[in-house]
Amino acid sequence: MKIFNLILFLSLSIFGNAKTISGKENWTETEAERFNNQLAEVKEKIKTCNLYNTKIAFFVDMKIKSGKNRFFVYDLENNKIIDEGLVAHGCGSETGIAGNLKFSNEPNSNATSLGLYEIRKSYTGMFGKSYKLHGLSQTNSNALKRAVVLHSYSAVPEVEQDYYIPRSHGCPMISEVFFRRLEKIIDHSKSTILLNIYY
């Protein structure tokens, strides 16, 4: 089975498609349980509004260190992760203890805000094309006011690192290559995609 998955991965890489990830096999039981709890929350939210995308959702696990893939594109119909990438957290989320983060919804905190977001329309800003984020939780209700958006940045690496990646001012900031893959998904979606940032 491992050989088959390796062949499938290499085939997809050669033909330039977004890489297929078999799922959560390498996660600990705790990581999988945490993800499944967040997944259940997203699925419940989708039921409340017929404007939400029922096929795809995005998840960011801030417990995973920033040098490792922690932004996941999830196929809600087939229940599997179909892509993943690095994502920065806000510099205001640093606590001085490696691996421990704090979060804030306050303006000028430069911190990441946890919770559910709607991915809204794109615009062109200082980082090029970006997507506005509308916070749906008490913990991220100031996202629009704080200009917390999904954007790329050239200093964010494309592949996993053994060290921490650059930090943002509170935005989920990703690599340019990963952004192009997400851009295709977002722009081709006729309904609003949900993003869940959790810890």
Side-chain angles (χ1 to χ4, degrees):
M1 189 64 179
K2 287 183 179 178
I3 294 172
F4 172 77
N5 286 338
L6 179 61
I7 292 169
L8 178 62
F9 173 77
L10 291 173
S11 299
L12 289 170
S13 297
I14 289 168
F15 292 106
N17 293 330
K19 57 185 175 181
T20 299
I21 299 161
S22 54
K24 310 181 286 288
E25 291 83 3
N26 295 329
W27 287 6
T28 66
E29 188 176 326
T30 303
E31 288 171 331
E33 183 179 349
R34 287 175 54 253
F35 179 83
N36 286 330
N37 288 339
Q38 300 302 319
L39 176 60
E41 184 180 336
V42 167
K43 287 184 173 180
E44 282 303 310
K45 187 64 178 179
I46 287 171
K47 289 178 185 176
T48 67
C49 180
N50 60 10
L51 298 178
Y52 292 145
N53 190 311
T54 59
K55 297 179 180 179
I56 294 287
F58 297 160
F59 294 85
V60 174
D61 185 349
M62 285 291 171
K63 278 273 188 194
I64 300 171
K65 66 180 184 178
S66 67
K68 301 301 177 184
N69 290 334
R70 58 180 179 174
F71 190 122
F72 305 103
V73 179
Y74 197 78
D75 179 338
L76 295 166
E77 291 185 320
N78 296 299
N79 287 309
K80 64 179 181 179
I81 294 169
I82 57 172
D83 202 356
E84 60 184 359
L86 301 177
V87 58
H89 56 258
C91 58
S93 286
E94 292 290 334
T95 62
I97 301 171
N100 284 2
L101 299 177
K102 61 183 180 180
F103 305 94
S104 176
N105 189 32
E106 293 302 311
N108 303 314
S109 67
N110 291 330
T112 294
S113 295
L114 301 179
L116 282 173
Y117 295 84
E118 292 177 354
I119 299 179
R120 295 278 183 93
K121 292 181 179 180
S122 65
Y123 72 100
T124 302
M126 65 183 294
F127 295 103
K129 186 174 182 179
S130 305
Y131 293 92
K132 292 182 179 180
L133 297 176
H134 174 66
L136 298 173
S137 308
Q138 284 187 333
T139 51
N140 63 10
S141 58
N142 288 327
L144 288 173
K145 185 190 298 184
R146 294 179 59 207
V148 172
V149 301
L150 176 61
H151 69 84
S152 66
Y153 184 53
S154 59
V156 177
E158 168 55 18
V159 296
E160 292 186 316
Q161 312 288 316
D162 289 329
Y163 50 85
Y164 293 95
I165 66 171
R167 294 162 297 174
S168 71
H169 289 288
C171 297
M173 183 174 76
I174 60 179
S175 75
E176 293 173 335
V177 173
F178 189 41
F179 185 87
R180 287 195 291 271
R181 297 204 300 267
L182 295 188
E183 178 184 28
K184 289 179 183 176
I185 295 170
I186 299 167
D187 290 350
H188 284 91
S189 177
K190 295 180 180 177
S191 47
T192 302
I193 294 174
L194 292 182
L195 164 66
N196 187 7
I197 299 179
Y198 63 101
Y199 186 71

